[in-house]
Amino acid sequence: MKYKLEPASLSECQSDLACVFVYANEKVSDVFNDVDPAFARKLKPFVDMLSAHVSEDGFKGKPGQVLTVPTFGHLDARRITLVGLGENKDFTTSHVRKAAANLVRR
């Protein structure tokens, strides 16, 4: 399997998987608005559905948490993965390395 990191807005992401990093207790809708506000407004039904799924699944953005869901055609990427980073105030580059390692292992 090949991994390639390409920073892009979600509206431009054309891959099998889009990855979004989430701080602890951050709302998914807020994350989408921060990443790509115009696209988040366009995809409000999908973002609402994803937010509900995140709540039901218990994803809180804690370090080590990874949640992958299909996009059902709402994005060009087939799946989206939310990766927990932990608390924003405690964030270091070490958290990014660990989060990326968790993502690759899944």
Side-chain angles (χ1 to χ4, degrees), residues 68-80:
T68 301
V69 295
T71 62
F72 301 107
H74 291 281
L75 303 174
D76 288 337
R78 291 180 26 217
R79 293 172 292 159
I80 187 164

Side-chain angles (χ1 to χ4, degrees), residues 15-82:
S15 66
D16 290 330
L17 177 75
C19 177
V20 176
F21 293 94
V22 181
Y23 288 115
N25 299 312
E26 191 173 23
K27 291 181 181 177
V28 171
S29 57
D30 292 343
V31 172
F32 273 76
N33 281 325
D34 289 346
V35 172
D36 197 340
F39 198 55
R41 282 190 301 277
K42 178 181 172 188
L43 287 180
K44 185 170 178 358
F46 173 70
V47 173
D48 290 346
M49 191 170 47
L50 181 60
S51 295
H53 182 75
V54 165
S55 286
E56 290 171 14
D57 194 75
F59 181 87
K60 300 282 188 198
K62 295 178 184 176
Q65 280 190 308
V66 177
L67 177 65
T68 301
V69 295
T71 62
F72 301 107
H74 291 281
L75 303 174
D76 288 337
R78 291 180 26 217
R79 293 172 292 159
I80 187 164
T81 296
L82 305 177

Side-chain angles (χ1 to χ4, degrees), residues 1-21:
M1 184 180 295
K2 291 183 181 182
Y3 295 96
K4 185 176 177 185
L5 176 63
E6 287 188 30
S9 71
L10 289 172
S11 59
E12 299 169 349
C13 182
Q14 296 182 355
S15 66
D16 290 330
L17 177 75
C19 177
V20 176
F21 293 94

